[in-house]
Amino acid sequence: MTGTAPNSTAPKTVGAAKLAVRVSAITTLNALVTRFEFQRIDGTDFPTFSGGAHTVVEMMDGEKKRLNPYSLMSDPAELSTYAISVRRDDQGRGGSLFMHQKIKVGDEMALSYPVNLFVLDLRARKHLFVAGGIGITPFLAQIKQLEAIGGNWELHYSCRSPDLGSYVDELTENYPHATSVYYDDKKQSIDLDNLLDGQPFGTHLYVCGPKGMIDWVRKTATATGWPQAHVHHEEFLAPQPGRPFAVRLKKSELTVEVGAQESLLEAIERLGVDAPYLCRGGACGQCETDVLDSDGTFLHRDHWLEDDEKESGEKIMPCVSRFEGKILVLNR
Amino acid sequence: MTLQFNTETFRDDYSFHNSQRAIDRFPFPFHEDSYMYAVNMERHQGGPADSVYEKRFDVDEHYVAEMADRAKVLDDDPLRCQSLPHMTLAGWDLLELIMVSKSEEYPDFFELHREGREWYWINKPLGIEDHFTFMDDTTLPYGPMEYITRQTQGDFCVLDQREDNLWMDAGMVTTQADWSLDFDIGMNFFEWHAPVPLAHEKGIFKRALKFLLNIQQGAPARRLNWTMTVNPLLDTSPENYHKWGIQKTTLTSENIGAKQHLRVELQTFFRLPRSNALVFPIRCYLMSFQDIVSKPKWGRRLNRVVRDLPEELAAYKGFIANRPLMLDYLSQFDDGLPTSFGVWPDEHITPTLQR
Ligand code: HEM
Ligand code: FES
């Protein structure tokens, strides 16, 4: 379905063109977080985007191509520059370390077109934002977007310590009445029950942060009677390392060994097989792949497949999910 | 570009006609000798030179006449254009998309000059020149969606995306195949598709929706749909069924070649950047049976498709009563020879009709 229909009148290309960029500024915000700014190599403006959108950053780490999604945090009205903030993850698979250690001003890279899986509901009378740590980034763009149209918003932002509070100064200075900050090391925490209880009719709630926080906010919202359609969350799963496994790609007639540090999607791409994706984080559904044969256990980690689809063993989302066992054959 | 705009009507005396160029580039929708609903989507990133697939928004010889017809429909029934309050931003997105596309792809006809938010738009075929402030509704004579779709061929549905669904929260719909924006406004993807036979059971809509929700900015998609219309009528709406439904009974074996039209919709899908809405332009191309059979491959194939189409589809598309008459006519152009795969007329390799 993603490819070309049999009556095809279309040129055969997959996805939107990439954006060729140069790193125009690098700013260290604190011990963990660094901001990267990009400009287009051809000097033109970037595509317009909406607050909450992310871009997939393509990193050439020697032979290895890394693709990591990051929220765009710059002002959607300012299209000469795109900016992202990257939190260093020493336990991760190396993408954020690569950004922190290897990328210099002037380097050339490629970005995907913006994709928004965390949009503002423009019917909302008020937007209530709950952020944890680096989860602040999509809200920075959304706040600028709402400020431009006089939207009504309020932010509750929880950080580990003042030292690690990325963008706290900017937010409290510019929007003192709309911003509340909570520091873990000062034993401050969001009084969620009260916060959710006191909201005017027509408020939408948005949460972005660590998994524990997202679960807590969503559960509390459900328990206090918030309609599901008014509660939005953004959670990028990073692919998890795991045991290596072999996979057979039927259509391409290839077999590949998926390394411990590599995702199934990355292994497929390494062979030069064109596989669709958008978010690379188990949320968008674009990479859904049919399983033709298997003998083993699926480690489904996505937010996309329904439970019965996961149990059926007929589908896998290769951007985040893995497999343990003897045989795995995919329709790719 | 040497495009001449026709002086013609889509009502009353029906002076609508297709030039040889229009016949040659008609988007014939059947890639094989039978038809069934499918998730027939592909990228909308160009196509063969001069085909209707080449540009993001095709402008053809019917442009000026179609816009005049739209203006008449709107005069009689303003509810053909509606936009719920939260969709204004999407309207600006759409205005930008169309103005930028048309001025890049048809620089002889359309110009867009931008100084920050101060924009100057020139539409030469329609004789329009306007200065306005982008994102300021008070500087245009209509809302942004209405303004630009009064200047663009095809119907437009603007869909809000939320709760993993699409919602028909705005649109300009004056050239539709028997459905109503006023009825569908505010509905979601499954609700407005409810009347369609067979496709739900085949899981087509579930898969189509997943595809649409993931359409990415910069990577638009397209598909074709088709139906049948007696007389070259653009406005076959339920609101006016009393006017056009009855025309289906005027078909005779003498007039069918000229009166019966295959109606093809080139449907495209674009993600809009600020609102994250999806816009769904539905561009209608009409061609008479006698023009279709001028291409031997298309004549043979149309006969076979119409003959073998399941009853449910012929009934839904509203031509089951006239099917025998159509087949009497079309079978004259089908000698049973094989046809080549794909939608193109392939005239250089297609034998002429053997009688
Ligand atoms: C978001 C974009 C879309 C909109 C706004 C839309 C709208 C509509 C509407 C209003 C109808 C008429 C229903 C009636 O009888 O009242 C229709 C029919 C139909 N739609 Fe869609 N549609 C969309 C996308 C799609 C897609 C992606 C498919 C892909 C399979 C599809 C398949 C169909 C089919 C098969 C019919 C029946 C048409 C016929 O036989 O003439 N639609 N659509
Ligand atoms: S790429 Fe989005 S779910 Fe896999």
Side-chain angles (χ1 to χ4, degrees), chain B residues 299-341:
Chain B
R300 291 183 178 105
R301 181 164 288 168
L302 186 60
N303 179 55
R304 297 167 199 179
V305 168
V306 171
R307 184 187 65 204
D308 301 338
L309 194 74
E311 295 255 309
E312 292 95 326
L313 267 69
Y316 174 73
K317 289 175 187 286
F319 66 86
I320 196 151
N322 282 335
R323 175 145 70 169
L325 205 55
M326 289 179 179
L327 291 173
D328 281 348
Y329 176 81
L330 290 172
S331 58
Q332 303 171 66
F333 303 94
D334 185 3
D335 49 20
L337 288 183
T339 52
S340 55
F341 187 78

Side-chain angles (χ1 to χ4, degrees), chain A residues 1 6-11 13 15-16 47-50 113-116 119 121-123 229 278 284 286 288 304, chain B residues 31 39 42-43 45-48 53 86 89 162-163 207 210-211 214 216-219 222 273-274 276 341 343-344:
Chain A
M1 187 174 73
N7 60 333
S8 182
T9 49
T13 49
T48 312
F49 69 100
S50 46
Y113 263 70
V115 174
N116 201 337
V119 269
D121 190 318
L122 295 172
R123 298 168 310 163
L278 280 185
C284 76
Q286 193 73 2
E288 184 177 307
W304 176 258
Chain B
H31 64 276
V39 188
E42 63 179 21
R43 305 276 166 200
Q45 280 161 341
Y53 310 104
H86 62 283
L89 184 63
R162 47 179 207 268
E163 298 161 50
R207 279 187 296 141
K210 276 194 180 184
F211 182 91
N214 284 318
Q216 210 186 134
Q217 205 178 316
R222 66 178 174 231
R274 294 173 187 77
N276 204 49
F341 187 78
V343 294
W344 309 109

